[in-house]
Amino acid sequence: MTVLVTPKALANQTVRDFKMLIDGKWISGNAAPIERVAPSHGVVVSRFQAGSKADALRAIAAARKAFDTGPWPRMTASERSAILLKAADLIAARADELAYLDAIEAGKPISQVKGEIAGSVDIWRYAAALARDLHGESYNTLGDGTLGVVLREAIGVVSIITPWNFPFLIVGQKLPFALAAGCTCVVKPSELTSGSTIVLGEILQEAGVPDGVVNIVTGTGAEVGAIMTAHPDVDMVSFTGSTGVGKLTMTNAAQTLKKVSLELGGKNPQIVFPDADLDAFIDAAVFGAYFNAGECCNAGSRLILHKSIASDVVARVAALAKHVKVGDPLDPTTQVGAIITPQHFDKIAGYVAAAKSAGAEVAHGGGALDLGMGQFMAPTILSQVTPGMTVAREEVFGPVLSVLTFDTAEEAIEIANSIDYGLSAGVWSKDFDTCLTIGRRIRAGTVWMNTFMDGASELPFGGYKQSGLGRELGRHAVEDYTETKTLNMHIGSRTNWWMPRT
Ligand code: NDP
């Protein structure tokens, strides 16, 4: 554990003040700003405007006007695509600044965030390419008297609400696709990690996105987010966050029957058979559980191990977990950073305590790591976990791995599918029949085989069950932000229904 930048040194750096972007203007809110304390260093690093309902209403009105009368939806796809490509280049040019903001506000390792920014650049470019391929269908097969044309039209004003765990990456899974379709947007980042999203606003202005097309309102979910999910002038809500707030979003949106896209929580299993490449799996288990300090919807937080290998695997995972480098997110060699807030740390610790009371054993870690600053947690492994325990069913959202065991493949599938979540899963076996059988039976949006948490802009991402609704990324991502319209055209004289033709 190293500390590269001391809290005192960080506190001496200028705290960055951010504004909100509404209708092309950078504005301040009326309330005292929200101060973000770096979770790693315990000192204030950013100040965000505490946006109000009135700010959210102004942003929605600006997005509505930009959609109904502005140039963005009326441009050619090629023009929109060129602007998105320019945005991608500008993101790449400001990658270090964006990475620093996410690292310091979210407590994420700087080397990891640099990878996320590079991934975002790829997604923005992918969305730019998809913009030009968005098209409908034609039906020339409906008889001599009919031609059918199916149009894809931008859905309208989209509210985009994002969480704190991947601040820049997640806005990039939504916004470029909405823009590619010709939509206008109001974006609300998490009040804890708004910095990189606000810099994105500057980038989009520079890239040539017209005023009012992207509005960024900072502030709390209760004040700003609630109105963004309920207002009648919003046509669609794209939300990533907890399952609880996702349900609230759907309830709010239901009042005006908005389209809703939800990316929510996960409790993702990795099922391991005795014939698996265990060397590869041990590394993937540690990566899956502790990447982003486990504050990751895709975390592989449940190991479901064949009984014959369980004790050996637990010992090997624990041995490797000892080497995971937890520390200062600004140190380029750090692998795991800080826990987002002291309150969230307490929640994670509460899950560990409850699991111990229920009979689980701590095979590694289990508590805080003292760096003399911020809040850090040791990579933790809980063995002797049974499927009914809370820690086996609920999302901990911290570096806590629960180990369960099985005798038969049927039992493994039953345990994997027995919870409310269905975001992702992993299966490990050298027998591809085993992998495919399990892969087809698991109810999850992504199943990795002999790997874990790989991804690509081309591959759809989203959840079954209470992990969400809809998919992001992939070649249909732009279509999600469209309405379908049928043009039914008659050719020649029409046969009347009532009045006979003379
Ligand atoms: P929250 O659900 O608390 O917050 C997500 C966003 O919703 C934040 O911007 C938040 O604002 C906002 N929000 C809060 N209350 C409301 C409301 N009443 N109306 C509208 N918006 C609201 O999640 P966290 O930020 O705590 O993120 C962690 C959770 O997100 C985890 O459960 C995780 O699994 C899930 N997640 C899922 C992902 C997926 O792709 N499936 C990816 C990443 C995270 P604010 O906090 O500023 O008040």
Side-chain angles (χ1 to χ4, degrees):
M1 289 183 297
T2 53
V3 175
L4 192 80
V5 180
T6 64
K8 197 164 166 231
L10 199 63
N12 284 338
Q13 292 187 22
T14 312
V15 175
R16 198 155 162 184
D17 285 288
F18 292 97
K19 294 196 168 178
M20 298 185 280
L21 178 61
I22 299 180
D23 207 8
K25 292 174 194 64
W26 290 97
I27 63 155
S28 302
N30 289 325
I34 295 166
E35 294 201 319
R36 177 57 181 150
V37 172
S40 50
H41 291 71
V43 298
V44 175
V45 285
S46 301
R47 283 193 208 97
F48 311 124
Q49 302 302 316
S52 62
K53 280 197 178 69
D55 295 319
L57 287 172
R58 274 208 300 281
I60 292 168
R64 188 76 257 167
K65 188 176 78 178
F67 186 77
D68 291 341
T69 60
W72 187 253
R74 286 153 200 94
M75 281 182 188
T76 64
S78 142
E79 288 168 325
R80 278 200 296 271
S81 177
I83 291 174
L84 295 179
L85 286 172
K86 183 151 184 220
D89 290 345
L90 292 169
I91 292 168
R94 292 177 76 172
D96 286 349
E97 176 191 1
L98 291 163
Y100 176 82
L101 286 170
D102 274 8
I104 204 66
E105 290 174 9
K108 295 155 73 82
I110 189 82
S111 52
Q112 177 194 315
V113 199
K114 283 184 178 168
E116 289 167 20
I117 307 293
S120 293
V121 171
D122 187 66
I123 296 173
W124 280 81
R125 291 195 175 128
Y126 182 63
L130 288 183
R132 301 188 66 170
D133 193 43
L134 180 63
H135 61 271
E137 299 155 2
S138 64
Y139 287 88
N140 196 28
T141 51
L142 308 175
D144 285 347
T146 303
L147 177 63
V149 174
V150 182
L151 302 181
R152 285 280 181 181
E153 294 185 342
I155 197 166
V157 174
V158 182
S159 284
I160 292 178
I161 299 176
T162 57
W164 43 259
N165 56 345
F166 292 91
F168 197 77
L169 189 63
I170 289 177
V171 73
Q173 291 182 188
K174 303 171 185 296
L175 185 57
F177 299 100
L179 293 176
C183 295
T184 61
C185 303
V186 179
V187 181
K188 193 205 91 62
S190 163
E191 70 188 278
L192 302 174
T193 56
S194 305
S196 60
T197 302
I198 300 168
V199 171
L200 179 62
E202 293 172 10
I203 287 172
L204 294 176
Q205 277 191 318
E206 192 182 339
V209 173
D211 290 353
V213 172
V214 176
N215 304 275
I216 301 168
V217 186
T218 48
T220 65
E223 182 77 14
V224 174
I227 197 134
M228 287 170 61
T229 57
H231 197 281
D233 279 347
V234 172
D235 300 292
M236 175 175 171
V237 182
S238 178
F239 171 87
T240 295
S242 60
T243 294
V245 179
K247 288 178 183 174
L248 195 62
T249 295
M250 212 166 160
T251 305
N252 281 347
Q255 306 315 308
T256 49
L257 284 180
K258 297 182 201 319
K259 184 171 179 180
V260 176
S261 164
L262 302 172
E263 299 296 342
L264 308 174
K267 185 78 188 178
N268 312 299
Q270 295 217 60
I271 301 174
V272 191
F273 288 85
D275 67 343
D277 175 348
L278 288 183
D279 289 343
F281 166 70
I282 302 298
D283 183 77
V286 172
F287 167 64
Y290 306 129
F291 171 76
N292 213 53
E295 293 170 334
C296 180
C297 51
N298 259 334
S301 51
R302 284 190 295 162
L303 295 191
I304 305 180
L305 307 176
H306 191 269
K307 274 193 182 131
S308 64
I309 54 168
S311 57
D312 176 43
V313 166
V314 169
R316 291 178 64 184
V317 172
L320 191 58
K322 285 192 186 92
H323 296 287
V324 172
K325 196 167 169 203
V326 184
D328 184 346
L330 298 176
D331 179 341
T333 64
T334 291
Q335 291 173 295
V336 172
I339 302 299
I340 190 78
T341 57
Q343 295 78 0
H344 191 60
F345 182 94
D346 291 345
K347 190 175 151 200
I348 299 168
Y351 271 112
V352 174
K356 279 158 67 179
S357 309
E361 285 176 16
V362 177
H364 185 257
L369 285 178
D370 186 6
L371 267 75
M373 61 183 208
Q375 58 276 338
F376 296 83
M377 177 145 187
T380 295
I381 303 170
L382 299 174
S383 62
Q384 311 298 326
V385 174
T386 52
M389 286 184 194
T390 304
V391 78
R393 312 188 71 78
E394 292 186 8
E395 185 180 51
V396 175
F397 226 54
V400 178
L401 183 57
S402 294
V403 182
L404 300 99
T405 56
F406 69 92
D407 277 315
T408 64
E410 274 309 314
E411 201 189 340
I413 294 166
E414 195 184 314
I415 295 170
N417 285 339
S418 68
I419 60 164
D420 292 335
Y421 293 114
L423 188 59
S424 59
V427 53
W428 293 80
S429 166
K430 281 189 183 141
D431 180 349
F432 222 67
D433 288 353
T434 304
C435 288
L436 284 178
T437 303
I438 301 278
R440 291 166 78 163
R441 298 271 306 277
I442 296 283
R443 291 181 46 76
T446 299
V447 181
W448 287 286
M449 296 176 186
N450 297 320
T451 187
F452 201 74
M453 236 192 301
D454 283 342
S457 304
E458 290 82 350
L459 298 177
F461 169 64
Y464 279 44
K465 301 195 276 184
Q466 294 190 30
S467 286
L469 265 188
R471 295 290 178 270
E472 297 188 329
L473 304 177
R475 70 191 175 95
H476 299 295
V478 178
E479 285 174 14
D480 271 355
Y481 295 94
T482 64
E483 276 282 14
T484 303
K485 180 183 280 175
T486 297
L487 299 184
N488 189 327
M489 294 173 271
H490 189 75
I491 303 163
S493 64
R494 179 174 172 274
T495 307
N496 283 356
W497 177 60
W498 184 73
M499 190 188 297
R501 270 180 203 282
T502 54

